[in-house]
Amino acid sequence: MRYLILSDIHANVTALDSVLAAARGQWDKAVCLGDVVGYGPDPNQAVERIRSLNLVTIRGNHDKAGSGLANADDFNPIARAVAMWTKEQLSPENRDWLQKLPGGPLVINDFRIVHGAIRDEDEYVFSPAQALDGLLETAPPVTFFGHTHLQGGFTFRDNQVGVLSFRPTGGQPFSTLSIETGTTYLLNPGSIGQPRDGDPRAAFAIADLAKNSVEFWRVTYNIEAVQNRMVKAGLPEPLILRLSFGR
Ligand code: ZN
């Protein structure tokens, strides 16, 4: 079974459509690690596209804030402003769908999904020290997480934490990680709609754990088209500019 792993779409439907086009015919089932909305100009379209895929989605912090399930008090002023804007834009039906999303972690067949950390869905896992807690939970051995918008992750074997990062280049649109028995993995597919690892391309993963393989993909998309819609919607300039740099 090949699983398409989507995360941090952030209301960027142009990036999402480019991902779905690149992944067409390559997967059997899909999951989404949350943050369907927030930051980007297309909250309704992003929700509708994800709903049409009939997949398992858990909620992210921006899904909670954008749907009004949580207040955005812990957001920075820019993120809070867009959460308010998102709440106004969402149709009642899409808002309701976001509010009903389950929180992580959730176990799907032979892997686990969570938005942030296993013990706290809103916690960021940036460093090996922050990853260690999750890596010690060895069943199942593979967990996919999002939230940081950095494609890569962490491994644990022989009491050592390893750091993974990927940068597919050249002819191949993806880098393949071989899953080894006896190693625990916390893997981040990266962000579709607002990458922050210095690569502006949309990021996602395809996992085939029966074959011990996870592919980390990057695809280009029309960034300018999204930026133009953000200008039209009056969204904050720093959010518009950062898409060009993937930071
Ligand atoms: Zn996010």
Side-chain angles (χ1 to χ4, degrees):
M1 180 82 74
R2 283 171 65 82
Y3 269 93
L4 177 66
I5 319 280
L6 309 171
S7 191
D8 295 279
I9 293 135
H10 284 292
N12 181 340
V13 88
T14 307
L16 178 57
D17 281 346
S18 296
V19 163
L20 294 175
R24 189 165 299 139
Q26 308 259 7
W27 53 277
D28 307 298
K29 283 189 172 182
V31 296
C32 174
L33 313 182
D35 278 2
V36 178
V37 301
Y39 295 133
D42 320 305
N44 283 304
Q45 293 94 320
V47 169
E48 279 150 24
R49 206 68 100 249
I50 289 294
R51 290 176 69 179
S52 75
L53 294 173
N54 241 328
L55 43 70
V56 175
T57 309
I58 52 172
R59 67 191 181 195
N61 50 325
H62 285 264
D63 301 321
K64 289 193 280 188
S67 67
L69 192 63
N71 63 42
D73 287 353
D74 55 340
F75 280 32
N76 67 52
I78 286 179
R80 193 181 312 136
V82 183
M84 297 302 127
W85 179 86
T86 300
K87 199 153 62 176
E88 285 163 24
Q89 299 293 315
L90 283 169
S91 71
E93 196 189 333
N94 289 336
R95 196 182 311 133
D96 192 54
W97 181 82
L98 284 168
Q99 284 183 351
K100 287 183 177 145
L101 289 178
L106 212 64
V107 174
I108 312 235
N109 289 345
D110 43 4
F111 61 91
R112 173 169 38 205
I113 59 173
V114 65
H115 184 66
I118 292 173
R119 278 161 208 266
D120 179 352
E121 61 180 336
D122 294 333
E123 193 180 307
Y124 290 92
V125 180
F126 283 115
S127 68
Q130 291 165 327
L132 187 59
D133 227 18
L135 289 168
L136 292 173
E137 305 219 2
T138 53
V142 176
T143 298
F144 289 97
F145 72 104
H147 203 29
T148 61
H149 300 203
L150 307 175
Q151 190 177 53
F154 304 91
T155 60
F156 188 69
R157 187 188 181 92
D158 299 333
N159 284 321
Q160 294 264 1
V161 179
V163 178
L164 300 169
S165 64
F166 303 96
R167 183 62 67 96
T169 47
Q172 194 83 316
F174 58 85
S175 306
T176 305
L177 171 73
S178 293
I179 300 296
E180 290 170 21
T181 317
T183 302
T184 314
Y185 296 86
L186 267 180
L187 300 175
N188 191 325
S191 168
I192 291 174
Q194 196 202 76
R196 293 178 192 162
D197 48 12
D199 184 341
R201 295 177 295 173
F204 66 101
I206 297 178
D208 190 345
L209 294 182
K211 293 193 174 147
N212 296 315
S213 139
V214 181
E215 298 165 0
F216 291 84
W217 286 66
R218 289 317 267 250
V219 295
T220 56
Y221 70 96
N222 188 346
I223 293 173
E224 221 182 286
V226 182
Q227 291 173 319
N228 289 339
R229 289 200 300 280
M230 292 174 83
V231 170
K232 243 187 221 156
L235 294 175
E237 196 179 18
L239 296 179
I240 300 172
L241 295 176
R242 72 187 302 174
L243 292 181
S244 301
F245 305 103
R247 288 273 180 213

